[in-house]
Structure formats: structure tokens, C-alpha cells
């Protein structure tokens, strides 16, 4: 996790207006068109915002975890919005026209998939499943079938297949990477957007958006600790960062 200093001769980017404040991040415009700054907060929410809290140090851990994973994905040929880290909590990204979908990739049953299929948590799936949820807080972020996505006109059929393929490619990179560090990548959420007319991976990849289980102990090292009021929530985020950094 070294080498995030400003490149020599690299332009200084100035933060301008708040574009959007979400539950975990704030997005700012900059003086460079097409570039945004993502600021990672310590606030945490769960159950569609019904549970709220603060996880000390989460933002600083998540920005570094996300940056590290985006760099690995870029090296693997997957296009992301990531440019570089700017500060302890900020990263420079491409402005995308976000697609209001959450792509969830699942390797092991947990959460709503366990409920939907009647699978016990921890049951390995025959092969990874990709699900799409509609990002609509007012509708409770419902699960969509492919035809729903096409009916909504969020993407066309070719782009839908691209979203599936990209999501599985991300899994093919991240699952072995976490495995080498003793972590089971149970499932994770991705958000994509358009840069010109190309689909690009955006948002973040962190213990807020992944389920990560210790391979030896089964201990949960992700936001489920917060959801379930388990102790040592802060430590879980630091542990994931530590395992990625020590490589
Ligand atoms: N490259 C990008 N360009 C523009 N917007 C982005 C980009 N990457 C992520 N975003 C958006 O910025 C916001 C990040 O804030 P945050 O994740 O805290 O939102 P949130 O509380 O989860 O709410 P939301 O339901 O909108 O995601 C999200 O709406 C996300 O879709
Ligand atoms: Mg979000």
C-alpha cells in the first residue's frame, strides 16, 4: 500500500462543491472536469438506514482498501473510476453516470440469499451467482430479473451481459486474492457507471460492501459485525487492511 504520493509534476486538484452526500461517503466536484473526489466517512448504516452508528477509523481504512483493490483490478484489465489517493480519507475518481443498480456477486450463501433459497449461512454455491438490485430507497432496493432491468431501460441487453461478465471477472480476481490472505470472499456489491459510453466500475470495495470471513475461525471481518452488534467492529476493518497491506 505504498506509492500513493502525488506523482512528480502531478497537477494539484482543488475540491469544489459537494455533489452528493450518501450514508458512507461524500462526493465533491473538482476544478478538473470529469474528476470527482470521494471522501470516506466513519458513519455506518444498516437495514436501509434504520440502524445508524459510527465506526472509528472506518473511512480511513476503507479508502485504502478500495484503492488497493481498484489498483489490482486495473492491473487485471478491469476498468475502474479510480485515479489515486489524495488524503487519509479521499480518493480521486472519474465522474461516472451511475447506473442505479447494485450488482451482488455471491460465492457462499449468506444474508438475503440464505433466506430466499432456504440455504444455511456458509453453504458454498455450485458456482458464483450475480444478482441485480434496483437502487431505489423508496422501493427498498428490490431484486430485479434481467427483464425488469431491460424494462426499466437502465441498460440494454448487451450492456446487461457486460455487467454480469465484469462482475464475475472482479470475483475471479478478488476471491483468490482474499483467499491468499486467509479471507473467504462470501459475497460483495459492485456499482457501475458510464464514462462516455463505456461501462466502468465505480463506488467502493471495502468491508462495508463485502462479506469477508476468516478462513480458519469463520470470524466475520466486515459490516455484519455492526449489523449484528458484535464487538470489535473497528478492529475488523483494521484487520482487513492489515492483511492486504502485508503483501
Ligand atoms: N465515479 C462516480 N461518479 C459519480 N457518482 C459516483 C461514483 N462512484 C460512486 N458514486 C455515487 O456516489 C455515492 C456515494 O455515496 P454513498 O455510497 O455514501 O451513498 P449511499 O448512502 O450508499 O447512497 P446510495 O444509495 O446513493 O448509494 C453513491 O450514490 C454512488 O452511487
Ligand atoms: Mg453506497
Amino acid at each position: 500500500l505504498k506509492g500513493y504520493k502525488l506523482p512528480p509534476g502531478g497537477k494539484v486538484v482543488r475540491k469544489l462543491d459537494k455533489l452528493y452526500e450518501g450514508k458512507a461517503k461524500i462526493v465533491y466536484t473538482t476544478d478538473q472536469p470529469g474528476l470527482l473526489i470521494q471522501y470516506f466517512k466513519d458513519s455506518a448504516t444498516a437495514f436501509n438506514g434504520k440502524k445508524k452508528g459510527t465506526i472509528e477509523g472506518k473511512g480511513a481504512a476503507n479508502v485504502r482498501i478500495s484503492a488497493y483493490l481498484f489498483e489490482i483490478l486495473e492491473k487485471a484489465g478491469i476498468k475502474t473510476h479510480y485515479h489515486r489517493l489524495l488524503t487519509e480519507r479521499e480518493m480521486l475518481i472519474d465522474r461516472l453516470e451511475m447506473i442505479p443498480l447494485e450488482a451482488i456477486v455471491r460465492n457462499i450463501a449468506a444474508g438475503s440469499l440464505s433466506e430466499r433459497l432456504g440455504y444455511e449461512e456458509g453453504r458454498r454455491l455450485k458456482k458464483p451467482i450475480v444478482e441485480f438490485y434496483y437502487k431505489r430507497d423508496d422501493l427498498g432496493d428490490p431484486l430485479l430479473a434481467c427483464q425488469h432491468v431491460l424494462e426499466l431501460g437502465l441498460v440494454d441487453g448487451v450492456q446487461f451481459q457486460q455487467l454480469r461478465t465484469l462482475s464475475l471477472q472482479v470475483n475471479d480476481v478478488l476471491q483468490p486474492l482474499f483467499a491468499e490472505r486467509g479471507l473467504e470472499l462470501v459475497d460483495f456489491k459492485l456499482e457501475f457507471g458510464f464514462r462516455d459510453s463505456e461501462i466502468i466500475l465505480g463506488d467502493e470495495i471495502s468491508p462495508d460492501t463485502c462479506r469477508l470471513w476468516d478462513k480458519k475461525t469463520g470470524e466475520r471481518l466486515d459490516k455484519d459485525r455492526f449489523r449484528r452488534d458484535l464487538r470489535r467492529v473497528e478492529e475488523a476493518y483494521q484487520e482487513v487492511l492489515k492483511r492486504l497491506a502485508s503483501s
Side-chain angles (χ1 to χ4, degrees), residues 20 22-25 102 135 189 191 203-204 209:
Y20 180 86
K23 292 169 290 252
K25 302 187 289 302
E102 296 193 340
K135 275 188 67 137
K189 186 248 339 175
E191 291 183 29
D203 207 52
E204 68 177 299
T209 63

Side-chain angles (χ1 to χ4, degrees), residues 20 22-25 27 36 38 81 93-96 98 135 137 191 202-203:
Y20 180 86
K23 292 169 290 252
K25 302 187 289 302
V27 180
L36 301 175
Q38 246 188 344
H81 69 164
I93 58 171
D94 281 322
R95 184 173 193 153
L96 303 181
M98 296 305 287
K135 275 188 67 137
D137 284 338
E191 291 183 29
D203 207 52

Side-chain angles (χ1 to χ4, degrees), residues 121-189:
E121 276 218 327
R123 173 163 163 182
R124 185 167 291 281
L125 305 175
K126 292 197 198 83
K127 50 182 199 168
I129 291 178
V130 185
E131 298 173 336
F132 292 93
Y133 290 81
Y134 193 14
K135 275 188 67 137
R136 275 283 298 266
D137 284 338
D138 58 331
L139 301 181
D141 296 342
L143 174 67
L144 299 179
C146 172
Q147 285 175 299
H148 298 141
V149 176
L150 300 183
E151 165 59 33
L152 289 167
L154 304 178
V155 292
D156 65 26
V158 172
Q159 291 162 340
F160 183 82
Q161 284 312 321
Q162 284 173 357
L163 290 175
R164 268 187 55 81
T165 304
L166 281 167
S167 300
L168 290 170
Q169 284 172 348
V170 171
N171 190 46
D172 286 342
V173 175
L174 296 191
Q175 204 213 318
L177 177 130
F178 280 116
E180 279 170 24
R181 290 150 175 89
L183 292 169
E184 190 73 71
L185 180 58
V186 173
D187 55 41
F188 58 95
K189 186 248 339 175

Side-chain angles (χ1 to χ4, degrees), residues 18-28 37-45 58-59 62-63 66 70 81 89-91 93 98 102 135 189 191 202-206 208-209:
K18 192 187 280 191
L19 182 64
Y20 180 86
E21 173 150 12
K23 292 169 290 252
K25 302 187 289 302
I26 308 172
V27 180
Y28 296 93
I37 291 173
Q38 246 188 344
Y39 175 97
F40 285 63
K41 302 193 282 185
D42 284 349
S43 41
T45 62
K58 172 171 83 75
N62 280 358
V63 77
S66 270
F70 281 139
H81 69 164
R89 285 172 182 274
E90 291 172 313
M91 67 162 66
I93 58 171
M98 296 305 287
E102 296 193 340
K135 275 188 67 137
K189 186 248 339 175
E191 291 183 29
D203 207 52
E204 68 177 299
I205 308 175
S206 73
D208 272 5
T209 63

